[in-house]
């Protein structure tokens, strides 16, 4: 007996016993209706979701360790509806949600969900907006469950044999990897916000090692990292939040921005040679000085028996030595994994499989099962990057490049060229290739639906407000929805109208005032089961 069937049967039996216990006062409560509603709401709390999805991620991580072709994927969502439609489409096209997650991007929360209006990715948005979005996403995913199951129960009531589909129903509820930025404050602030995120349903918290009040987008300049002990304190805060709430399998994704960061705000205190603070301080750019050259209130260090003065900017920040970024990435990642992190996130300047592998292989020398969450970022110009990579391969192989201008490879005239086709093939296999050789367990696109919304509104607006008029919507949107079987073409059903009608009947019987009926224009659409 499956979980769904046992839940249905258990709920049916429970309500039957309660009816017997409470007698006539429960006479109008139909046990089948109650069992149906119970089955349509498998997850009662966000903590139920966090525990369930954490176990899924742990299983997926173990599967990847055994077979690196079993990587996982997600798309970023800035609204519950976006996440819902993503998972509905995944189930429709791929028949399962296995190894597919949702990513919650701090960038999109800042840009699209802040009460201040659109903001840059600098942790200026309300911290409470993050757990609110997690809860919203799971509300929509649970509604997708309820809507699909309600359709199945309707079909069953009409005499169809769909019991197997009910018994083996796969939920739309999947893991969310949730971006907490740099923790929105000190380690106590990180702990408090983490609890809210877990209570909303998050099983995986992604935190970066930037200074919280100087946080920048990982693909922009001006990033300032913190010493290891500061970051470790926040890793501890997140782990203890998971344990306090009983989510023992909770996942911590430790993100280092050291590859592109060149600044630090703080010089940690080294207690003995070679300790973490000492290693961090060794990366700081400094110039050898004598006491005669030192200015009043200068900060000085002793390095290899010599007196040095750290290079300090007018804003008080310190610079790292040029060329130390990869060494800092490796140390940051190894240290995070040795202090409770489960997965790593490394921001890179380009999506280059070999460059990622070079870093990860150094990390694996110390932590063999190190795994990455990788941002397949829209901040990369994928077309240009991969055409450049193809150009360099051809150049190294001595192939004829006379038909190509290396400085104009983005030109549409190359779209059908041999070089562009090769580049596109490498883009297509990038996730599989990098998971195989670069240790990437999870691939995500942070901002896909930000861009798809902009693109689709661009195209619709161009036609609708132009000569195409209503045909722009009908031909470009509605007709495509009908022919592709997109569930929300019947938007009333998707918003819960059919589900609500059935509930009204449960509550009020024949007296229920229902929206469905002969005059409902949604009847003009037929969605195949």
């Amino acid at each position: 007996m499956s979980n769904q069937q046992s839940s249905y049967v258990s709920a049916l039996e429970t309500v039957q016993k309660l009816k017997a216990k409470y007698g006539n006062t429960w006479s109008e409560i139909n046990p089948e209706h109650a069992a149906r509603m119970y089955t349509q709401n498998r997850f009662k709390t966000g903590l139920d979701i966090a525990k369930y999805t954490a176990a899924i991620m742990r299983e997926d991580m173990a599967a990847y360790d055994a077979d690196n072709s079993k990587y996982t994927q997600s798309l970023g969502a800035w609204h519950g509806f976006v996440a819902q439609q993503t998972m509905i489409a995944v189930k429709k096209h791929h028949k399962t949600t296995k190894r597919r997650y949702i990513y919650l991007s701090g960038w999109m929360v800042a840009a699209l969900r802040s009460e201040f209006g659109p903001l840059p990715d600098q942790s200026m948005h309300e911290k409470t907006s993050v757990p609110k979005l997690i809860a919203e996403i799971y509300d929509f995913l649970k509604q997708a469950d309820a809507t699909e199951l309600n359709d199945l129960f309707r079909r069953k009531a009409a005499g169809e044999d769909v019991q197997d589909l009910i018994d083996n129903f796969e939920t739309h509820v999947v893991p969310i990897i949730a971006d907490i930025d740099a923790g929105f404050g000190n380690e106590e602030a990180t702990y408090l916000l983490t609890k809210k995120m877990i209570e909303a349903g998050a099983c995986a918290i992604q935190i970066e090692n930037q200074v919280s009040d100087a946080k920048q987008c990982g693909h922009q300049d001006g990033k300032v990292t913190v010493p290891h002990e500061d970051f470790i304190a926040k890793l501890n805060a997140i782990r203890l939040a998971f344990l306090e709430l009983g989510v023992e399998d909770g996942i911590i994704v430790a993100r280092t921005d050291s590859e592109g960061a060149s600044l630090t705000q703080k010089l940690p205190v080294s207690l003995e040679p070679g300790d973490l603070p000492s290693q961090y301080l060794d990366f700081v750019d400094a110039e050898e000085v004598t006491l005669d050259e030192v200015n009043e209130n200068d900060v000085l260090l002793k390095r290899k028996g010599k007196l040095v003065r750290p290079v300090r900017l007018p804003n008080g920040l310190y610079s790292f030595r040029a060329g130390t970024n990869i060494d800092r990435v490796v140390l940051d990642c190894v240290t995070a994994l040795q202090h409770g992190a489960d997965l790593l996130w490394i921001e890179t300047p380009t999506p280059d499989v070999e460059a990622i592998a070079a870093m990860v292989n150094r990390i694996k020398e110390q932590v063999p099962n190190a795994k990455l969450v990788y941002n397949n970022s829209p901040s990369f110009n994928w077309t240009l990057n991969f055409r450049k990579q193809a150009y360099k391969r051809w150049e190294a192989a001595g192939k004829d490049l006379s038909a190509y201008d290396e400085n104009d490879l983005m030109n549409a005239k190359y779209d059908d060229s041999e070089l562009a086709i090769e580049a596109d093939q490498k883009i297509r296999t990038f996730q599989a290739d990098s998971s195989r050789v670069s240790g990437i367990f999870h691939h995500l696109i942070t901002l896909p639906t930000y861009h798809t919304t902009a693109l689709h509104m661009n195209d619709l607006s161009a036609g609708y407000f132009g000569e195409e008029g209503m045909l722009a919507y009908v031909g470009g949107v509605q007709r495509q929805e009908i022919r592709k079987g997109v569930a929300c073409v019947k938007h009333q059903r998707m918003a819960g109208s059919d589900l609500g009608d059935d509930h009204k009947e449960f509550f009020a019987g024949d007296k229920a005032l229902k929206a469905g009926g002969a005059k409902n224009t949604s009847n003009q659409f037929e969605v195949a089961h």
Side-chain angles (χ1 to χ4, degrees), residues 87 90-91 95-100 170-172 174:
M87 283 302 121
V90 164
K91 282 191 69 174
K95 310 308 178 188
T96 180
T97 61
K98 292 186 186 303
R99 302 204 302 275
R100 279 88 176 196
E170 183 180 50
T171 179
H172 296 83
V174 296

Side-chain angles (χ1 to χ4, degrees), residues 122-299:
Q122 296 173 357
S123 288
M124 294 190 290
H125 55 282
E126 311 86 339
K127 64 176 71 176
T128 53
S129 59
V130 182
K132 284 180 180 178
L133 179 53
I134 296 168
E136 175 184 291
I137 288 172
Y138 281 126
D139 281 344
F140 273 82
L141 294 180
K142 289 194 295 180
Q143 189 214 31
D145 282 0
T147 300
E148 188 175 328
L149 278 164
N150 191 65
D151 289 346
L152 290 172
F153 281 119
R154 280 187 167 194
R155 291 167 62 187
K156 179 181 178 181
E160 287 190 57
D161 183 11
V162 293
Q163 190 61 53
D164 186 62
L165 295 177
I166 295 171
D167 293 345
N168 295 290
F169 180 81
E170 183 180 50
T171 179
H172 296 83
V173 170
V174 296
I176 288 178
I177 298 177
D179 185 0
I180 199 172
D181 280 19
F184 286 88
N186 61 19
E187 53 268 37
E188 174 69 4
T190 301
Y191 154 77
L192 293 171
L193 180 55
T194 297
K195 285 212 304 180
K196 292 297 183 185
M197 293 169 69
I198 297 167
E199 288 168 344
C203 71
I205 306 295
Q206 170 215 323
I207 185 166
E208 60 206 55
N209 68 339
Q210 290 192 48
V211 174
S212 184
D213 61 357
K215 183 264 188 311
Q216 297 277 17
C217 174
H219 287 273
Q220 294 186 312
D221 206 354
K223 293 183 289 293
V224 185
T225 60
V226 299
H228 298 100
E229 57 265 36
D230 290 18
F231 193 54
I232 290 169
K234 291 189 175 181
L235 296 179
N236 291 338
I238 295 171
R239 179 63 64 205
L240 287 167
F242 272 124
L243 293 174
E244 177 183 338
L245 294 174
V247 185
E248 297 175 2
D249 289 336
I251 312 295
I252 300 176
V253 181
R255 169 177 149 181
T256 174
D257 281 300
S258 295
E259 197 285 335
S262 59
L263 302 168
T264 185
Q265 189 180 59
K266 188 174 176 181
L267 300 179
V269 177
S270 174
L271 299 179
E272 58 184 56
D275 60 10
L276 279 174
S278 176
Q279 293 178 68
Y280 191 82
L281 289 167
D282 283 344
F283 291 126
V284 174
D285 195 13
E287 55 187 354
E288 186 176 346
V289 293
T290 65
L291 284 177
D292 293 338
E293 298 172 315
V294 174
N295 299 318
E296 192 75 14
N297 294 321
D298 267 351
V299 174

Side-chain angles (χ1 to χ4, degrees), residues 35 146 210 236 278 327 341 392 404 486:
Q210 290 192 48
N236 291 338
S278 176
D327 290 339
K392 294 298 182 186
Y404 303 95
V486 176

Side-chain angles (χ1 to χ4, degrees), residues 1 8 20 28 62-63 75 85 94 98 152-153 165 198 207 244 251 254 277 352 361 381 418 431 437 456 497 522:
M1 184 179 289
Y8 179 83
E28 295 187 10
L75 292 173
Q85 293 305 302
H94 305 286
K98 292 186 186 303
L152 290 172
F153 281 119
L165 295 177
I198 297 167
I207 185 166
E244 177 183 338
I251 312 295
D352 187 310
N361 288 337
N381 185 331
E418 185 182 352
Q431 295 188 342
V437 304
H456 292 163
S497 181
S522 290

